[in-house]
Amino acid sequence: MSSSGRKKVQRKCKIRGYTLDPDAVDEILSFASNFDDSAPDDDAIDLLLDFLETQPRKDKETVHRLVTKLSRADAAVYDGDDDGGGGTSEPDWHIIDAFKVPKFRYDPIKKSFYRHTGRLSIHGEASAKSALYRDRFLLLSQIISRQKEFSRPAFGSKSSDAGRREISPIQSLIGQTGRRWVMGLISQLEDGHFYLEDLSSSITAGFFVENTIVVAEGEMLLEGVFQVITCGFPPLEPRDESLQFIAGNDFFGSSSLTEEETLRLAKLDRTVANDNVVILSDIWLDDEEAMGKLETVFSAFEDEEFVPCLFVLMGNFCSRPCNLAFHSFSSLRLQFGKLGKMIAAHPRLVEGSCFLFIPGPDDAGPSTALPRNALPKYLTEELQTHIPNAIFSSNPCRLKLGTKEVVFFRQDLLYRMRRSCLVPPCTVETDDHFEHLVATITHQCHLCPLPLIVQPIIWNYDHSLYLYPTPDTIVLGDRSDQKAFKYTGITCFNPGSFSSDSTFVVFRPCTQEVELSSL
C-alpha cells in the first residue's frame, strides 16, 4: 500500500492516543489489503484498531494475533453460507429477562465488584430495602472516586489542588467551616423536610427529585443546615472505562464472551443486512382502528427486500387498565389470538422475524412493582400457537444483538418525573423535557430513580434496573411525544404511542440509526 495508507493508519492511531512501530503498521496494512472493494480499507483498519486499543501491548505480535483471530471470526461468519449472499447473515441476538439479570455488589474495602450467588426472594426482608439504597450509593460513589476532579491529589500543593473537588463524608462536616463538596441521596425523613444522606449521616437539603443521588457544594451553617451553593448529578463514566474496571464481569446478563467471540460478533455487526428492529408501544388489541394500523405496518414490512429481524411490541395491550375492575380477560385472550392470526397471514415475517412482547404499566400481572413479569400464559398461549417464535419477556428487559446492548423499558416515566420534581430543571442548555429525563437516568445509572411510594420496586431486583455499564441504546416507551436523543454516545429514543399517535420506530442497532416513523 502507498505511503498515504501508512499515514492514514498513523493518524487513526494518534486519534486513539497511541503510536505503533513500523512493523506493526505493516501488519495492519497487509491485513487491510486482503479486502476487496465491498469492504473498504477504512472499515478494515478501524475494526482492527478498535480492538488493538484495548490491548496492553501494541506491537507487531499483538497485531498479528488479532489479525489471526479476526480472520477466523470472518470465516466463522460466512461458514456454511453457500448462497453467495455475503452480507446477509442472520444477526446473533439474545433476550435477557429482568429476573435473570445477575446481581453484583461493590465492596468499598477491596474496591471491586463481587457477584451475589444466593437465591433472591421476591418478598425481601426489611434489610433488603436499606440495601437497595446502599447499593445504589456505592455504585455511583465508586464511579466518582475514579474521577480526577473529585479525587485527592497524591502530593498536596496549591497547583495540584486547583480545580479539584474532594468529596467529604457528611459526618465530617460537623464543626467544619468553609465550602465543602458532599455526595448523598435526597430523602424525606420528615414531611416537608428533605435531607441529603450518605452512609455516615444526613443534612438538610431541598432540590431535584427524592431518591436521586447528587453531588453538592455548600457550607455548613451554625444551625446545622447545609446551605447548597451548587449541585448536580454524579459524572457519567464512559462505557469503555466501566468495562475495563469491572474486569470481565457480566453485568448485562448475556454471558461473558471470549476475545475471539467478540471479534466474530463485531465482524457480524458490519455484515448483516437485515438487523432492523421495529419497535411499537401501546398496542391496544381491543381498538379496531389500532389493529387496522398494525395490519398496515405488517403488510409494508412483508413487502420489504429484507424483513426486520425483530418486532418489539410493548404494552399496554388494552385501552383500559387490567386491574381489579377489569373483567374481560377471556376477551383479551381472544384478541391476542386474533393478533397471532394477523401475524401468521404474513409468511415472510413469520419465517424471518421474531416477535418480542413486553408488558406495559397497566397490563395484567401480579403487581405494579418493577420489574414486571412477562404477560400471563393464559393470555398468550393462543397467540403462541400461531407464532411459535414469539417471545414474552419482563418489563424492563434487555437485548444483546451482536456486540450491541439495548435496554427496553415501558413506563410513563416522563410524566412521573416531572410531577415528582422538587425544583424545575434548568433550561439554560435545553428546555426539552425528554433530554432532561435521559440525563437523569443515565447519570443515576438507574431506569427509574423515583421514590418507592411513587413507583414500587421489588427490593431484591432493583439491580435489574441499573444502567451500568451504560448500554449502547435505551428505549423508553412512553405516552409522551415521539423523541430521539443521543447523549454522550448513548442512543435514547421514545417510539411514541402507536394507538394514539400512529408513531413507531425502525432501529438499526449496529449503526445506531433511529428512524422515527408514523402512518
Side-chain angles (χ1 to χ4, degrees), residues 335-493:
Q335 289 158 1
F336 269 106
K338 290 180 181 178
L339 175 60
K341 293 179 181 178
M342 177 191 296
I343 297 173
H346 302 83
R348 291 190 65 225
L349 296 185
V350 175
E351 181 181 358
S353 306
C354 282
F355 295 83
L356 171 63
F357 293 82
I358 301 173
D362 294 329
D363 280 324
S367 74
T368 59
L370 294 175
R372 289 180 62 95
N373 293 89
L375 291 166
K377 187 176 180 181
Y378 169 78
L379 297 177
T380 62
E381 58 184 357
E382 190 170 336
L383 180 147
Q384 209 152 17
T385 59
H386 299 286
I387 313 297
N389 57 351
I391 302 171
F392 299 92
S393 191
S394 62
N395 180 28
C397 71
R398 305 178 177 194
L399 166 68
K400 184 70 175 285
L401 198 153
T403 60
K404 302 300 182 182
E405 296 180 354
V406 184
V407 173
F408 296 101
F409 185 41
R410 173 63 184 95
Q411 185 65 265
D412 297 324
L413 190 58
L414 183 57
Y415 169 77
R416 293 190 173 193
M417 289 291 288
R418 292 182 64 185
R419 187 175 181 179
S420 303
C421 192
L422 302 176
V423 177
C426 178
T427 59
V428 174
E429 295 184 6
T430 178
D431 58 357
D432 191 312
H433 294 294
F434 183 73
E435 295 184 13
H436 285 295
L437 173 63
V438 170
T440 300
I441 65 173
T442 51
H443 281 271
Q444 294 295 309
C445 293
H446 198 278
L447 277 172
C448 191
L450 285 169
L452 297 184
I453 195 172
V454 176
Q455 174 54 65
I457 293 177
I458 301 175
W459 300 338
N460 280 328
Y461 286 89
D462 182 64
H463 66 280
S464 66
L465 279 74
Y466 284 2
L467 297 173
Y468 182 83
T470 53
D472 299 287
T473 307
I474 303 172
V475 182
L476 297 174
D478 200 287
R479 286 186 181 176
S480 58
D481 294 339
Q482 186 183 54
K483 287 280 186 178
F485 178 50
K486 194 155 189 175
Y487 185 66
T488 63
I490 308 168
T491 302
C492 305
F493 60 87

Side-chain angles (χ1 to χ4, degrees), residues 203 219 244 250 425 430:
I203 54 178
E219 189 173 358
Q244 290 181 2
D250 174 32
T430 178

Side-chain angles (χ1 to χ4, degrees), residues 119-126 128 366-367 458-461:
R119 180 178 175 271
L120 293 174
S121 172
I122 296 294
H123 305 287
E125 299 179 353
S367 74
I458 301 175
W459 300 338
N460 280 328
Y461 286 89

Side-chain angles (χ1 to χ4, degrees), residues 181-224:
W181 283 86
V182 298
M183 176 179 173
L185 177 125
I186 300 175
S187 59
Q188 190 174 184
L189 302 182
E190 305 172 16
D191 288 342
H193 295 275
F194 292 93
Y195 292 79
L196 196 61
E197 293 185 282
D198 64 4
L199 300 182
S200 64
S201 187
S202 63
I203 54 178
T204 307
F207 39 73
F208 292 168
V209 180
E210 187 181 347
N211 269 29
T212 54
I213 297 174
V214 298
V215 177
E217 180 189 20
E219 189 173 358
M220 183 68 84
L221 303 181
L222 294 178
E223 55 268 29

Side-chain angles (χ1 to χ4, degrees), residues 30-230:
S30 176
F31 166 74
S33 65
N34 293 329
F35 290 82
D36 54 24
D37 293 338
S38 64
D41 292 337
D42 275 351
D43 287 346
I45 293 172
D46 287 338
L47 178 63
L48 183 55
L49 294 182
D50 285 344
F51 289 101
L52 186 62
E53 187 175 0
T54 64
Q55 303 300 312
R57 296 179 58 189
K58 299 174 177 61
D59 52 12
K60 179 181 178 180
E61 288 73 16
T62 303
V63 174
H64 181 74
R65 177 171 54 84
L66 287 176
V67 167
T68 302
K69 289 188 175 182
L70 191 59
S71 299
R72 292 174 182 171
D74 188 29
V77 169
Y78 295 104
D79 185 29
D81 187 9
D82 298 327
D83 59 358
T88 61
S89 304
E90 290 295 325
D92 191 349
W93 55 274
H94 180 52
I95 303 294
I96 302 103
D97 191 278
F99 293 94
K100 300 296 179 63
V101 173
K103 183 172 185 175
F104 287 86
R105 282 179 167 160
Y106 182 72
D107 187 337
I109 305 300
K110 297 181 179 180
K111 298 187 183 303
S112 62
F113 285 96
Y114 66 94
R115 182 166 180 169
H116 178 82
T117 55
R119 180 178 175 271
L120 293 174
S121 172
I122 296 294
H123 305 287
E125 299 179 353
S127 59
K129 183 178 181 180
S130 59
L132 177 151
Y133 296 112
R134 183 175 63 251
D135 290 345
R136 286 192 201 178
F137 184 86
L138 289 175
L139 178 69
L140 294 178
S141 66
Q142 59 90 22
I143 293 176
I144 203 171
S145 67
R146 295 196 296 275
Q147 305 295 319
K148 291 183 179 179
E149 61 269 26
F150 288 101
S151 60
R152 177 182 295 180
F155 302 97
S157 66
K158 292 184 178 180
S159 59
S160 60
D161 289 342
R164 293 186 181 272
R165 308 174 182 90
E166 183 184 347
I167 299 296
S168 301
I170 291 177
Q171 195 172 28
S172 70
L173 299 181
I174 301 175
Q176 295 292 326
T177 59
R179 292 190 178 186
R180 294 289 189 274
W181 283 86
V182 298
M183 176 179 173
L185 177 125
I186 300 175
S187 59
Q188 190 174 184
L189 302 182
E190 305 172 16
D191 288 342
H193 295 275
F194 292 93
Y195 292 79
L196 196 61
E197 293 185 282
D198 64 4
L199 300 182
S200 64
S201 187
S202 63
I203 54 178
T204 307
F207 39 73
F208 292 168
V209 180
E210 187 181 347
N211 269 29
T212 54
I213 297 174
V214 298
V215 177
E217 180 189 20
E219 189 173 358
M220 183 68 84
L221 303 181
L222 294 178
E223 55 268 29
V225 176
F226 187 71
Q227 184 177 20
V228 175
I229 300 169
T230 182

